[in-house]
Structures are given as structure tokens and as C-alpha cells.
Amino acid sequence: MRWNGDTAVGVLVVLTSVGLIVTGIVDKGRGVRPFAAKRARAATARAYARDLRRAADTAIATARRAAGEGEPAIVTVDAVVRLTRERYGHDDVDPAHAAAALRRSFVHGDCAADCVTDAFAAGPSGS
């Protein structure tokens, strides 16, 4: 068998592909899961805060849909805690953190006009 340019390129492509596949199997997704413990803790903290914000926004939207015509939407810290546990799988949700996320979403979403919340009485305001 004679080696020409096309055969050499084909073998190079196949070997590169096999190398990438083997690297992916050995690495097992470390790009998604940080290897260093410090980065893993930081990523977990960011995900927790993001999930709390999403749960607070969802609780506000759900309360607005459930409110009748001319009635204020009632949003509670317990609703945010429940949503964070059910939707995002966080077992230990601190009500103070949920209250802070709800306060942030309450102010950011202009909820003072049509919402009522217990978040300002549930913990420190942080301001």
C-alpha cells in the first residue's frame, strides 16, 4: 500500500478524533464540574443565589396570576422557600436568603403597586 497525501490526512483526522473521544471519556465532564474545591464552592453559591432569584420571580408571577381583579398579589417568603426546594432541589434553604431574594425581586419588578409581601419583616433589609 502506498501512502499519499490523502491517506496521510485521513489517518491524521481519524487519530485526532479518537484522541478527542478518549480524552472526553477520561475527563468525564470536568469542564462542567470544576476540579478545584474552591471553584466548586463558588459555583454552588452562584447557582444557589440564581435559583433563589428565579424562585422569587416565579413566586411573584404566580401570585400576580392568582390575584383577582383589583386585589394585591400576596407573595410570601415561604412560597419562595417552597419553590426553591421543589423546582431547584435545594434541601437547606435559609428563609433569610429567600427573603433577601424576594426583596430584590420585589423592588426590581416594581411590585409595590400591586403586590404585598412579608419579605421586609422576615429579615434584615440589607440596605
Side-chain angles (χ1 to χ4, degrees):
M1 177 170 142
R2 291 191 43 113
W3 288 83
N4 58 17
D6 291 339
T7 306
V9 169
V11 168
L12 183 63
V13 167
V14 168
L15 289 176
T16 303
S17 301
V18 168
L20 288 173
I21 290 170
V22 168
T23 302
I25 289 171
V26 170
D27 193 34
K28 296 180 185 174
R30 284 200 189 108
V32 177
R33 294 185 325 253
F35 184 70
K38 184 177 179 180
R39 284 185 290 168
R41 282 190 299 274
T44 302
R46 283 191 308 270
Y48 176 69
R50 181 188 64 232
D51 292 342
L52 276 173
R53 284 192 308 269
R54 288 180 179 171
D57 291 340
T58 302
I60 291 172
T62 303
R64 282 180 168 165
R65 282 192 302 269
E69 185 67 29
E71 294 179 355
I74 301 171
V75 188
T76 64
V77 174
D78 291 335
V80 176
V81 170
R82 181 181 45 80
L83 281 169
T84 307
R85 286 181 180 152
E86 290 175 0
R87 291 186 132 198
Y88 302 106
H90 295 283
D91 295 329
D92 298 326
V93 180
D94 187 4
H97 293 161
L102 183 55
R103 283 190 299 271
R104 181 187 176 282
S105 294
F106 187 85
V107 171
H108 182 67
D110 286 333
C111 292
D114 64 342
C115 297
V116 176
T117 184
D118 62 347
F120 292 100
S125 65
S127 350

